[in-house]
């Protein structure tokens, strides 16, 4: 769960800076796999109707891997393992997704495409866990390193980052990493926005308050 008002807190204390991604050239970058996928994948309302994995999954992942390669960054993806926290409470609240899907199909049958897509968007979707095996297969095809942590990926990333062997030089992930003795993280990595000096923007949060 993200830290509330994190960006406001760090912004007021000038703990966030934007630098050119060229500074990561020649480095090994530890990547929070789930965080990366959430930012990478776009919403596809029709997926609720069709099922399966997102149609853009492979192209989006391969495009990102090519960007890492072009900028001479070696990503090492770390995905979560077993969850020790029960996040859902089945049957505790009314599940409106089935009725939303039924309404969406009704709109579709009547030729109301926009209304149908809007309802499909609230009729469920996919969970990251549903696409991980496909993502692993793509990473394996491109000979990209990845691992699954025993439990939380944040603890695994922090341990590898702080290891004397320095498994990787920086971490790209969510603000939860700051709970695990990590003094700086890359919270946003954009390969499309050009820096005035010809680089590409990256956001880095840092500060002793993270300990």
């Amino acid at each position: 769960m993200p830290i509330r008002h994190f960006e406001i807190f760090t912004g007021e204390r000038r703990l966030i800076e934007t630098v050119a991604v060229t500074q990561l050239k020649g480095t090994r970058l530890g990547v929070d796999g789930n965080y990366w996928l959430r930012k990478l994948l776009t919403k596809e309302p029709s997926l609720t109707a069709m099922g399966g994995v997102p149609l853009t999954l492979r192209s989006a992942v391969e495009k990102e891997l090519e960007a890492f390669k072009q900028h001479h960054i070696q990503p090492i993806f770390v995905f979560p393992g077993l969850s020790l926290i029960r996040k859902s409470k089945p049957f505790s609240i009314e599940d409106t997704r089935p009725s939303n899907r039924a309404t969406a199909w009704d709109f579709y049958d009547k030729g109301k495409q926009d209304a149908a897509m809007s309802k499909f968007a609230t009729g469920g979707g996919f969970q990251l866990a549903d696409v991980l095996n496909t993502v692993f297969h793509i990473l394996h095809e491109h000979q990209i390193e990845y691992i699954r942590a025993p439990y939380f990926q944040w603890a695994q990333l922090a341990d590898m980052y702080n290891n004397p062997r320095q498994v990787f030089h920086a971490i790209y992930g969510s603000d939860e990493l700051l709970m695990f003795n990590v003094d700086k993280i890359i919270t946003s990595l954009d390969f499309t926005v050009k820096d005035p000096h010809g680089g590409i923007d990256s956001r880095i949060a840092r500060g002793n308050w993270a300990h």
Side-chain angles (χ1 to χ4, degrees), residues 106-168:
D106 185 50
F107 282 139
Y108 185 83
D109 290 338
K110 295 176 180 178
K112 299 179 179 179
Q113 304 294 334
D114 292 341
M117 290 300 104
S118 178
K119 276 296 181 180
F120 275 133
T122 60
F126 75 97
Q127 301 295 322
L128 285 181
D130 298 334
V131 303
L132 282 186
N133 284 337
T134 302
V135 173
F136 295 160
H137 182 70
I138 297 171
L139 294 177
H140 180 72
E141 281 183 354
H142 291 268
Q143 298 182 337
I144 301 296
E145 291 185 66
Y146 68 91
I147 66 169
R148 265 198 116 151
Y151 300 103
F152 293 122
Q153 72 273 31
W154 310 308
Q156 185 68 56
L157 282 161
D159 181 68
M160 296 172 73
Y161 175 70
N162 292 315
N163 191 291
R165 297 176 58 186
Q166 199 171 25
V167 180
F168 35 69

Side-chain angles (χ1 to χ4, degrees), residues 16-160:
I16 296 180
E17 61 180 333
T18 300
V19 299
V21 79
T22 50
Q23 293 192 22
L24 293 175
K25 182 178 180 179
T27 64
R28 294 186 301 275
L29 180 66
V31 181
D32 178 338
N34 274 19
Y35 181 79
W36 169 71
L37 280 175
R38 287 194 190 97
K39 284 183 170 289
L40 184 65
L41 297 178
T42 58
K43 292 184 178 179
E44 298 180 21
S46 59
L47 185 66
T48 304
M50 298 184 299
V53 300
L55 296 175
T56 59
L57 176 64
R58 174 173 285 273
S59 61
V61 170
E62 291 184 334
K63 181 179 179 181
E64 191 83 351
L65 296 181
E66 182 61 27
F68 280 118
K69 183 178 179 180
Q70 289 179 354
H71 290 86
H72 306 283
I73 301 170
Q74 180 186 348
I76 301 174
F77 294 92
V78 179
F79 293 89
L82 295 175
S83 176
L84 300 178
I85 301 176
R86 184 179 179 182
K87 298 180 181 179
S88 62
K89 297 180 179 180
F91 313 114
S92 60
I93 59 175
E94 181 183 1
D95 188 354
T96 60
R97 292 174 297 177
S99 62
N100 287 340
R101 290 194 292 269
T103 302
W105 279 117
D106 185 50
F107 282 139
Y108 185 83
D109 290 338
K110 295 176 180 178
K112 299 179 179 179
Q113 304 294 334
D114 292 341
M117 290 300 104
S118 178
K119 276 296 181 180
F120 275 133
T122 60
F126 75 97
Q127 301 295 322
L128 285 181
D130 298 334
V131 303
L132 282 186
N133 284 337
T134 302
V135 173
F136 295 160
H137 182 70
I138 297 171
L139 294 177
H140 180 72
E141 281 183 354
H142 291 268
Q143 298 182 337
I144 301 296
E145 291 185 66
Y146 68 91
I147 66 169
R148 265 198 116 151
Y151 300 103
F152 293 122
Q153 72 273 31
W154 310 308
Q156 185 68 56
L157 282 161
D159 181 68
M160 296 172 73

Side-chain angles (χ1 to χ4, degrees), residues 21 63-64 67 71 189-195 199-201:
V21 79
K63 181 179 179 181
E64 191 83 351
H71 290 86
L189 190 60
D190 192 340
F191 289 116
T192 63
V193 180
K194 291 293 181 69
D195 180 87
I200 299 176
D201 287 346

